[in-house]
Amino acid sequence: MRKIMPVILALCLILAALSGCGRSKPTAADSVKAIYDLYIHREFSGVSSLGMTERQFQEAIKAYDDALAETIRTNFAVSGLEIDEETISEICQARATALATMEADFTVVSEKNDTATVKVSTTYFDEVALDTDAAYSAREDADAAGFTDYDAYRDFLMEHYTQNLIDGYHAVSPSPERKDFTVECTIINNTWIPQDMAAFGNRLGQVMAGQE
């Protein structure tokens, strides 16, 4: 089965939500932390200070969850398998639980005029290994069961793989070490924002899943 890779779409919606007029300007590190907390911890307080409303926050989270669910659905379909919506929801919720255990520090390493560089130092987990282990264990169990009917074999494999995946996410612990990367920021409407929001989102997803 294809690997379930992280998809970062909702972060791009933040740009439409930010209007810094009339508020004190957070530091570049504050802004990057707020976006990290939105995606990783699903926390509202940080992006609220940047101007995002509760409704916009919920819409951003829903957009991300919908994109992730569609990725999971497509990956199974490419393998000739169907996955029910309840299982997709359980996988998404388990993954969110895993991400919520991560921690990070944010430091402004340089700032000049309207540009700044922020270093993100974050824990992570190996999502590819988690997915691979879930699939391998399910296949071993399916082969050991000695099925003679392919449909029964496939159904068993599907059930055990998805459950292994869910259990794997729930068992995730943050890495003992951290990975560092930098984000280039600029000022828009009195608020520091990553210069390339989509690139930042994709980089964050890769680092958090241990792919970089």
Side-chain angles (χ1 to χ4, degrees):
M1 298 180 188
R2 293 177 62 188
K3 303 294 186 294
I4 298 175
M5 299 298 183
V7 180
I8 311 281
L9 297 180
L11 295 182
C12 299
L13 301 178
I14 296 175
L15 284 175
L18 300 178
S19 56
C21 301
R23 294 194 311 276
S24 60
K25 183 174 67 178
T27 68
D30 292 335
S31 294
V32 173
K33 180 181 186 301
I35 299 169
Y36 179 99
D37 286 343
L38 165 64
Y39 169 59
I40 303 301
H41 297 146
R42 302 189 175 221
E43 290 182 1
F44 174 60
S45 60
V47 288
S48 174
S49 69
L50 301 182
M52 179 176 270
T53 66
E54 176 73 26
R55 178 178 178 179
Q56 289 167 329
F57 169 76
Q58 295 298 338
E59 287 174 349
I61 291 296
K62 184 178 185 302
Y64 174 79
D65 286 346
D66 288 349
L68 178 59
E70 182 57 30
T71 298
I72 295 171
R73 193 179 296 110
T74 300
N75 286 348
F76 277 93
V78 167
S79 299
L81 301 170
E82 291 185 6
I83 182 170
D84 61 81
E85 296 305 309
E86 181 178 354
T87 302
I88 290 177
S89 179
E90 289 181 12
I91 292 173
C92 290
Q93 290 174 12
R95 186 174 187 273
T97 298
L99 287 173
T101 65
M102 302 299 135
E103 298 178 349
D105 295 319
F106 308 85
T107 308
V108 176
V109 295
S110 68
E111 181 177 334
K112 184 178 181 180
N113 299 326
D114 289 348
T115 61
T117 301
V118 175
K119 183 178 77 171
V120 181
S121 181
T122 183
T123 58
Y124 62 95
F125 68 101
D126 192 338
E127 191 166 28
V128 172
L130 186 155
D131 180 84
T132 301
D133 289 347
Y136 182 78
S137 179
R139 187 175 297 278
E140 276 196 325
D141 290 343
D143 290 344
F147 287 102
T148 57
D149 180 81
Y150 175 74
D151 289 339
Y153 173 85
R154 183 189 60 188
D155 291 345
F156 180 96
L157 183 63
M158 175 79 164
E159 179 182 353
H160 281 247
Y161 166 64
T162 55
Q163 189 57 55
N164 289 345
L165 197 60
I166 292 166
D167 292 343
Y169 281 126
H170 281 302
V172 160
S173 295
S175 59
E177 71 282 354
R178 298 194 178 202
K179 291 191 175 183
D180 299 341
F181 68 100
T182 58
V183 185
E184 300 301 321
C185 298
T186 189
I187 295 177
I188 299 178
N189 292 333
N190 203 43
T191 302
W192 286 105
I193 294 296
Q195 290 180 352
D196 189 332
M197 186 69 76
F200 169 55
N202 286 326
R203 182 81 182 276
L204 178 60
Q206 291 172 350
V207 170
M208 298 303 299
Q211 297 175 31
E212 186 175 314

